[in-house]
Amino acid sequence: MAKTDEMVADVAGVAIAPAAPAVPRRRPRWPFTAVLATAVGVTLLLLPAGTAWLNDPAVQAWRTVCLAITVQALPFLLLGTALSGAINAFVPADLFTRVLPKRAALAVPVAGAAGAVLPGCECASVPVANSLIRRGVTPAAAFAFLLSAPAVNPVVLTATAVAFPGNPAMVVARLLASLATAAVMGWLWLWRGREEWLRPGARHAGHHVGHSRWREFLQGCRHDFLHAGGFLVLGAMAAATFNVMVPRSVLDAFSASPWLSVLFLAGLAVVLAVCSEADAFVAASLTGFSPTARLAFLVVGPMVDLKLIALQAGTFGRAFAWRFSTATTVVAIATSALIGGALL
């Protein structure tokens, strides 16, 4: 019997397909942007104060705010990369597709509600959502999880209750507005989202037979942390710049108008980039603004801020990040205004 390029015959006469060639694994690499951002950020944060301009109060304040944002978010970024590595190495590839509803429209709200199980901030949700997509979860459901997890987990809701004592309506409003925004954005991705907006990552998805799971776990953690860490520093630098350059008088100018105050605090949440586990205390301190405006601050912040946009751009690509962040901001403001107007 003649052999062909497609198949060979065994001794029993049964046609079998030739084995697929092994695909060499790529070693994790630092992206150029992450290297540059990390190098610049660390240099500016750790420079000795021997030069005159470094002793300027504005520069010292910038360094303090940038370092505070980075240190505040770093533990949760570590948590997210650890969960991402664990999902990649230890969780069966078909687990999430079996647990979530088969219909994508139903999987979106279920994934949004599942965000309550991740006790972290937005820095942790990005690598986890990336791993979910690589394990076969529809991107719409993964994005709903990405948006809801930083805002509806028990730690954040408890912090909100402590920051607003005697005002349980604020906790309920934050929960409902965050879940509604996550679900709407998931459904919006099903309707208008395009796969080509997502940049494919370099790391493999799932455990390779014959390789150590612990080794894959460590490699996955290292790749995700080094990749996302540079973009975290980049976002922290941008947020620190805004904190230093915008005077307090600007805040007071917007507090008088109900609608302008909502838009202003939503924009402020984007640029301040406060961790979702601490933003309730910042919102509570903004006593000159209406409860609805402060709710917008609490809903928008964990879903769209400078460091999160940078993390999304580094993970999914810039084409995705600017479209998704813009749409999320609009939806979050609308849901905050509706639910805040009804409950607060």
Side-chain angles (χ1 to χ4, degrees), residues 230-254:
F231 293 97
L232 170 62
V233 173
L234 190 64
M237 292 166 60
T241 301
F242 179 88
N243 273 269
V244 172
M245 296 185 65
V246 177
R248 176 70 186 182
S249 58
V250 175
L251 301 179
D252 299 332
F254 285 89

Side-chain angles (χ1 to χ4, degrees), residues 26-320:
R26 296 177 59 183
R27 296 183 62 185
R29 284 185 170 182
W30 281 53
F32 174 76
T33 306
V35 175
L36 180 61
T38 303
V40 173
V42 171
T43 300
L44 293 176
L45 291 174
L46 301 181
L47 274 175
T51 308
W53 68 272
L54 290 175
N55 292 324
D56 186 271
V59 176
Q60 291 181 345
W62 184 91
R63 291 167 58 187
T64 300
V65 173
C66 186
L67 183 61
I69 293 175
T70 304
V71 172
Q72 185 183 52
L74 195 59
F76 301 104
L77 181 62
L78 286 170
L79 172 63
T81 54
L83 288 174
S84 174
I87 290 173
N88 186 72
F90 300 110
V91 176
D94 62 343
L95 175 63
F96 300 103
T97 56
R98 288 190 284 110
V99 171
L100 291 174
K102 300 299 182 184
R103 295 185 60 183
L106 296 179
V108 166
V110 173
V117 304
L118 180 62
C121 72
E122 58 271 19
C123 299
S125 62
V126 174
V128 174
N130 188 36
S131 284
L132 292 178
I133 294 176
R134 297 189 177 284
R135 306 312 296 270
V137 175
T138 176
F143 296 149
F145 177 88
L146 182 152
L147 295 177
S148 68
V152 304
N153 69 74
V155 176
V156 171
L157 294 180
T158 301
T160 306
V162 173
F164 293 89
N167 189 9
M170 181 63 76
V171 181
V172 175
R174 181 175 193 176
L175 173 64
L176 295 179
S178 300
L179 288 176
T181 301
V184 170
M185 285 304 302
W187 289 325
L188 186 61
W189 178 266
L190 286 177
W191 178 43
R192 302 292 294 177
R194 298 179 182 178
E195 292 293 334
E196 56 264 29
W197 292 344
L198 296 177
R199 183 182 64 193
R203 186 161 59 88
H204 73 277
H207 171 65
H208 285 276
V209 178
H211 295 135
S212 168
R213 291 183 182 271
W214 282 106
R215 181 179 179 183
E216 292 191 353
F217 168 72
L218 294 175
Q219 288 181 342
C221 289
R222 182 181 63 179
H223 175 275
D224 285 342
F225 179 76
L226 295 182
H227 187 87
F231 293 97
L232 170 62
V233 173
L234 190 64
M237 292 166 60
T241 301
F242 179 88
N243 273 269
V244 172
M245 296 185 65
V246 177
R248 176 70 186 182
S249 58
V250 175
L251 301 179
D252 299 332
F254 285 89
S255 61
S257 172
W259 289 105
L260 285 180
S261 63
V262 171
L263 297 177
F264 182 77
L265 284 195
L268 187 66
V270 174
V271 295
L272 286 184
V274 182
C275 177
S276 62
E277 297 188 349
D279 61 358
F281 300 96
V282 177
S285 68
L286 300 172
T287 54
F289 292 87
S290 67
T292 300
R294 287 186 280 177
L295 175 63
F297 181 89
L298 295 176
V299 176
V300 173
M303 298 183 179
V304 187
D305 63 35
L306 291 180
K307 68 177 185 296
L308 182 57
I309 294 173
L311 288 171
Q312 290 180 356
T315 303
F316 302 113
R318 287 180 294 178
F320 166 83

